[in-house]
Amino acid sequence: MKRATAGLVVSLVLLTPLPAHAAAPDPVQVLRAQVVPGRGVTVSMVTRMSADGRHLGTVRTERVTGFRKGGSVETDESTTVHFPAAAELLGEDFPDFLFPTLLIRLKDANYTSGGSLIPELPLGKKWVRSRWFESSPMDSTVDLFEPGALKALLATASSTGPRSAKGTIYSSKIPGRPFGTPMTRGEKGEKVAWALRFDDRGRVTRLTTRVFRRTNDGYVLGLGSDLRFTGWGSRVTIEAPPEESVIEAEDLPQEPGLLVEEKEPVEASPQGR
């Protein structure tokens, strides 16, 4: 009797279908699902720069990204810059002000504060409003919220797993303004080494990029960025500074003979499909 019962149990086990393993989530589809108006994510970035193999300095940026209707992206960020060796290496060619300490990007304007702007501002004014594109350290890497950027990276993956992927891609193949440089037709750009990590839901938790480029001064400039994504789906509200603390960029005092560089207008950056 015991022998027959044991045989029946074995037969039932063999006939019972095993549960199918769930397919790994598609990170591109997961990213699209995160783009919900009123929600967002926090991105913390550390960028290390070098020239001819010598460390120049480190830039740290904390950015809150908010999604709006139509997939547009608005941001509020703060930056600290530490360049102990850059001034010594580059001498007078090293700018004393690379990025604003604070930067708010909204649909129709940018607001900057801090750095060398401080002594230029009239009493009571803390922010400068500009209708033009303002540079950010976050522009020195790949913007995953640019339409098609994540898909372009994954299409060049040399290895993939359920929680990670890595590969190389030429900057000309990355949508938008990769590394702050808009590409033109026929340009190959620089070779970019990239790596991604995902959580168990397929959301990006980390992106690292590494690129080298030769400057007009003959240096080989290295840019290595490490971005961490936290708080996916958090409620985000990004607002302009109080109007009484804002001055228009064209109202700032300018030195005699100073040429004002023509910049590109601000454009909302819809999240890609």
Side-chain angles (χ1 to χ4, degrees), residues 97 100 102-106 109-122 124-134 240-254 263 266:
F97 175 68
L102 303 175
L103 171 60
I104 298 176
R105 284 179 172 173
L106 298 178
N110 289 319
Y111 298 83
T112 58
S113 181
S116 63
L117 283 173
I118 295 299
E120 303 295 332
L121 298 180
K125 302 296 183 182
K126 298 181 180 179
W127 294 87
V128 177
R129 176 165 49 211
S130 171
R131 309 295 174 179
W132 312 105
F133 182 86
E134 293 289 347
E243 190 63 28
E244 62 271 15
S245 67
V246 175
I247 184 174
E248 300 292 341
E250 54 266 29
D251 293 335
L252 285 173
Q254 297 182 4
K263 298 183 178 180
V266 171

Side-chain angles (χ1 to χ4, degrees), residues 29-47:
Q29 297 294 334
V30 172
L31 179 59
R32 293 176 188 171
Q34 295 298 317
V35 184
V36 177
R39 303 286 178 167
V41 64
T42 297
V43 186
S44 304
M45 186 187 78
V46 177
T47 295

Side-chain angles (χ1 to χ4, degrees), residues 26-99:
D26 178 0
V28 175
Q29 297 294 334
V30 172
L31 179 59
R32 293 176 188 171
Q34 295 298 317
V35 184
V36 177
R39 303 286 178 167
V41 64
T42 297
V43 186
S44 304
M45 186 187 78
V46 177
T47 295
R48 293 178 173 85
M49 302 182 182
S50 63
D52 291 343
R54 179 179 179 182
H55 178 68
L56 289 181
T58 303
V59 180
R60 300 178 185 274
T61 300
E62 187 87 1
R63 167 182 281 185
V64 176
T65 299
F67 303 120
R68 297 296 173 258
K69 290 183 179 180
S72 62
V73 175
E74 297 180 340
T75 61
D76 188 341
E77 67 184 55
S78 61
T79 296
T80 58
V81 181
H82 183 55
F83 278 74
E88 176 188 348
L89 182 63
L90 301 180
E92 295 180 356
D93 293 331
F94 176 70
D96 59 355
F97 175 68
L98 292 176
F99 305 105

